[in-house]
Amino acid sequence: NEVGSRQRADSVQTAEDVCQLAPVLRSFQHAPVLLPRTCVWVGGVCVWRVCVCVAAASCRPTHTSFYHNEPTATCIMHSSAIVLSLFALLVVHTQAAGTQHTEAAAEHNSNNNNHLCQNYGPQAPRDISKHEGINKVAFPNAFRRRKMNLCNIHFHINAEHKSQYYNTAAEVTEVHGHESFGYVCPKPKPAYTHPGKGPTEVCHGMKLGDTIEVHWVYSSCDVGPGPTLGSCLSDACSNPTLRVEAVVFTLVNNKRDALNFLNYDVADEKIKGFHQTRRSLPRKGRPVTYIGSTTGTSFSQQDCSPFQVTWSVRPDCFALDFASLGKWCEHNKFEEEEAHGSRKLVKAKELLSKIKA
């Protein structure tokens, strides 16, 4: 079970941490290789990313990889590699436990020292790999997106949410007078971040290698696509049910293999009576669904959003063709020309709903 495997891997740090033992591995005359999505069971724990030493001859190409630290091979471990990998895992697992304890204590103190907003419903964004939440405000999930109208598309610099695949904190910047936070995907391979003859910047500041989170907003109202979230309601429907489909992308220069953003723009005609995207949104694995709020840098744990939203967030990073996003920014029905800032991750359990497995 892929979802279960990811949950069991929560306590294991990234391959880069394990690979600090690379000099030891090299003493066995094998090259250390990262296995990004190979599940190795050790003592009942699924190790999602492990640094092991293998003979180069035992590697076989398996898929196209856009990321610098992701190999394109599945490898067979030698017995010496297995022993060393288990030792590396023991060291990293012990370090991870100590780090997690420290981070949990810091988060607890942060939540106690800051006055949380009161009487608000569950908030967003959140770490979708953690399902805990004790907010008492509940509301029903929205309909599936195919039974709702796509009313707005916009995107944020960096990933607003956090998952096991986009979990590196981005540099805090300022966007339109507010601090912007977020997380980034692994760095793409250098070949995919070279502009060649194409543009070096699109959408007023986006560059190759950047991470974005795109939001497709759906409304229960009988409305059409348009600029801002105001397009999701009308005089006759002032309290809509909202659903947001969220996908995280890395911007790369690869028209052949990367996704074309124009395929996910709103279709020219309704599909089975509703405004929808031209093609189905990308998915790999199971999206995480939860109830939360709108996001954006004007909200925080002390100043909460009052709007209720059903979220469906893909946990993976997808490679997106850089030029296609640029074309969309030049002309779209939503008057979106640049990235929005990213709200700081909501961590207080009092402001989070419980994610149902």
Side-chain angles (χ1 to χ4, degrees), residues 284-313:
K284 181 170 54 177
R286 183 179 179 182
V288 175
T289 300
Y290 73 93
I291 58 172
S293 69
T294 55
T295 62
T297 53
S298 61
F299 299 116
S300 67
Q301 292 194 153
Q302 293 75 44
D303 187 8
C304 289
S305 165
F307 301 103
Q308 298 178 342
V309 176
T310 297
W311 284 89
S312 179
V313 186

Side-chain angles (χ1 to χ4, degrees), residues 7-317:
Q7 292 172 348
R8 286 187 287 269
D10 281 347
S11 63
V12 182
Q13 289 183 319
T14 62
E16 287 79 0
D17 296 317
V18 185
C19 287
Q20 290 177 355
L21 298 177
V24 178
L25 300 180
R26 291 194 185 96
S27 67
F28 280 75
Q29 297 181 347
H30 296 297
V33 177
L34 302 182
L35 306 182
R37 296 188 181 179
T38 300
C39 190
V40 181
W41 287 95
V42 181
V45 177
C46 174
V47 184
W48 203 251
R49 297 186 177 187
V50 182
C51 183
V52 298
C53 57
V54 297
S58 66
C59 295
R60 306 183 188 89
T62 58
H63 65 283
T64 300
S65 170
F66 289 95
Y67 297 113
H68 181 64
N69 288 329
E70 184 178 355
T72 58
T74 297
C75 302
I76 304 171
M77 291 185 287
H78 289 250
S79 58
S80 60
I82 296 174
V83 172
L84 285 172
S85 297
L86 296 180
F87 172 71
L89 170 65
L90 178 62
V91 172
V92 172
H93 184 74
T94 302
Q95 292 176 342
T99 300
Q100 289 175 353
H101 177 76
T102 302
E103 290 177 349
E107 180 178 328
H108 177 75
N109 290 335
S110 174
N111 291 338
N112 282 341
N113 292 336
N114 292 301
H115 180 66
L116 301 177
C117 51
Q118 302 294 317
N119 303 319
Y120 279 82
Q123 298 293 294
R126 65 183 294 167
D127 185 339
I128 59 173
S129 67
K130 297 179 179 180
H131 292 189
E132 299 84 357
I134 58 174
N135 188 277
K136 296 181 180 179
V137 176
F139 53 91
N141 284 339
F143 294 120
R144 294 182 180 276
R145 67 180 184 274
R146 297 192 184 280
K147 297 295 183 180
M148 304 179 73
N149 282 304
L150 176 60
C151 55
N152 184 258
I153 301 174
H154 62 272
F155 67 99
H156 296 257
I157 179 66
N158 305 320
E160 280 202 298
H161 287 83
K162 180 183 179 183
S163 82
Q164 287 178 294
Y165 296 107
Y166 37 91
N167 57 13
T168 301
E171 180 182 353
V172 178
T173 57
E174 184 176 296
V175 177
H176 298 306
H178 294 276
E179 283 189 319
S180 178
F181 301 86
Y183 295 84
V184 296
C185 297
K187 291 183 179 180
K189 292 178 178 179
Y192 295 115
T193 56
H194 191 280
K197 297 181 180 180
T200 57
E201 181 179 302
V202 299
C203 305
H204 301 291
M206 302 307 302
K207 296 180 174 58
L208 284 163
D210 284 348
T211 296
I212 63 172
E213 180 173 317
V214 183
H215 294 165
W216 286 264
V217 187
Y218 292 79
S219 171
S220 60
C221 295
D222 184 13
V223 293
T228 77
L229 295 181
S231 300
C232 300
L233 49 85
S234 66
D235 292 339
C237 183
S238 59
N239 188 26
T241 299
L242 298 175
R243 168 181 283 274
V244 178
E245 301 285 334
V247 184
V248 174
F249 296 99
T250 306
L251 303 182
V252 300
N253 183 20
N254 188 304
K255 293 183 179 180
R256 185 185 67 179
D257 298 317
L259 298 172
N260 185 330
F261 193 69
L262 298 180
N263 289 333
Y264 309 111
D265 198 359
V266 64
D268 295 329
E269 303 291 337
K270 287 185 177 181
I271 299 175
K272 295 183 178 181
F274 296 94
H275 295 286
Q276 299 290 318
T277 54
R278 292 171 178 168
R279 293 188 183 179
S280 296
L281 297 179
R283 63 177 293 173
K284 181 170 54 177
R286 183 179 179 182
V288 175
T289 300
Y290 73 93
I291 58 172
S293 69
T294 55
T295 62
T297 53
S298 61
F299 299 116
S300 67
Q301 292 194 153
Q302 293 75 44
D303 187 8
C304 289
S305 165
F307 301 103
Q308 298 178 342
V309 176
T310 297
W311 284 89
S312 179
V313 186
R314 278 74 174 160
D316 292 274
C317 290

